[in-house]
Amino acid sequence: MAKYTGPVCRLCRREGAKLYLKGDRCYSDKCSFTERGFAPGQHGAGQTRKKVSEYGIQLREKQKTRRIYGVLERQFHNYFVKADRQKGITGENLLVMLERRLDNVVFRMGLAESRNQARQLVRHGLIRVNGRRVNIPSFLVKAGDAVGVREESKQSPIIKKIAESLGSKQAPIWLEVNAEDMSGKVMRYPTREEIDIPIQEHLIVELYSR
């Protein structure tokens, strides 16, 4: 399966917005987007922006959403199809489904500094759901599911580092977190107002409705 392996800060510059792909670094002065917020391009050519068409605006919104959650094109389209079949507003259904991904839940609980790190923890088998090891980042959690770090993995250097700052992080209200045990519970699904990402999901719906 293909995945992007280049510099992630380049993705933020391409979308013209901070996507917070490096976790805490994105909130610090070391964030390269703060210094070079223009689009990438050789010799600064990316600083010149052309007028964007309606299709281009919709496409960029979709790409931005994909990059925030780390989802590939085909997988993202499949999410949209499922969201469109559900009752309710398609755009909101899509975002709720993306929030339910296991890698995102691990990140939201504070068990990882970024969604990318959360994916690595899941793939390496460090996370359990309802007592069972799950190594699929796209696994969709359900209300009532218990998520946490495997007991055998708590001695890992990377887990110990995360544990030091876990208590100071604030998890969304739809999640319950036990910082001492490095575990939590999905109390319910989030509402649109509780999903704090700068996305205009109606543009994505318009794009796929063409």
Side-chain angles (χ1 to χ4, degrees):
M1 181 180 291
K3 69 175 182 178
Y4 180 77
T5 58
V8 295
C9 292
R10 185 182 180 89
L11 299 181
C12 296
R13 292 169 55 202
R14 178 64 186 88
E15 302 305 332
K18 277 193 177 186
L19 304 183
Y20 299 96
L21 302 177
K22 285 189 173 181
D24 294 340
R25 183 185 176 90
C26 297
Y27 295 92
S28 69
D29 296 334
K30 296 181 180 179
C31 178
S32 64
F33 180 80
T34 303
E35 301 177 358
R36 298 182 295 172
F38 51 85
Q42 189 175 20
H43 306 308
Q47 296 186 56
T48 303
R49 291 187 177 274
K50 299 179 181 179
K51 184 177 181 180
V52 184
S53 65
E54 181 180 357
Y55 171 79
I57 294 174
Q58 296 167 350
L59 179 63
R60 293 266 58 85
E61 203 68 14
K62 185 259 292 183
Q63 294 293 76
K64 182 166 64 174
T65 306
R66 281 203 324 77
R67 286 164 174 170
I68 287 176
Y69 287 100
V71 180
L72 296 176
E73 180 62 45
R74 179 178 295 182
Q75 191 175 28
F76 189 85
H77 182 264
N78 290 339
Y79 282 136
F80 178 82
V81 172
K82 292 179 182 179
D84 193 38
R85 292 174 179 172
Q86 295 176 356
K87 295 181 179 180
I89 303 174
T90 300
E92 294 185 9
N93 292 341
L94 174 63
L95 292 183
V96 170
M97 197 177 302
L98 291 170
E99 285 288 313
R100 289 174 53 201
R101 285 175 54 97
L102 180 57
D103 54 359
N104 178 77
V105 171
V106 170
F107 166 69
R108 292 291 194 184
M109 285 183 169
L111 300 178
E113 295 181 357
S114 65
R115 289 182 178 86
N116 183 51
Q117 186 183 64
R119 278 190 292 277
Q120 293 179 356
L121 296 182
V122 174
R123 286 194 181 112
H124 292 168
L126 276 64
I127 303 298
R128 63 183 181 183
V129 178
N130 297 328
R132 298 176 58 185
R133 184 174 67 175
V134 178
N135 60 2
I136 303 174
S138 61
F139 177 86
L140 296 180
V141 302
K142 300 177 181 178
D145 281 353
V147 179
V149 176
R150 294 177 63 224
E151 194 65 36
E152 301 89 335
S153 304
K154 292 182 180 179
Q155 299 306 314
S156 168
I158 188 171
I159 295 298
K160 287 183 177 180
K161 181 180 178 181
I162 294 171
E164 294 175 357
S165 59
L166 182 57
S168 62
K169 295 183 178 180
Q170 183 68 38
I173 61 176
W174 54 280
L175 296 173
E176 182 180 77
V177 178
N178 183 336
E180 294 184 1
D181 192 41
M182 299 197 75
S183 64
K185 184 177 181 180
V186 181
M187 306 303 294
R188 56 176 174 79
Y189 296 158
T191 63
R192 178 60 185 95
E193 292 72 23
E194 294 167 347
I195 302 176
D196 59 347
I197 61 171
I199 291 297
Q200 300 181 63
E201 62 274 13
H202 69 277
L203 295 176
I204 302 174
V205 177
E206 292 172 3
L207 176 66
Y208 281 122
S209 300
R210 282 176 170 267

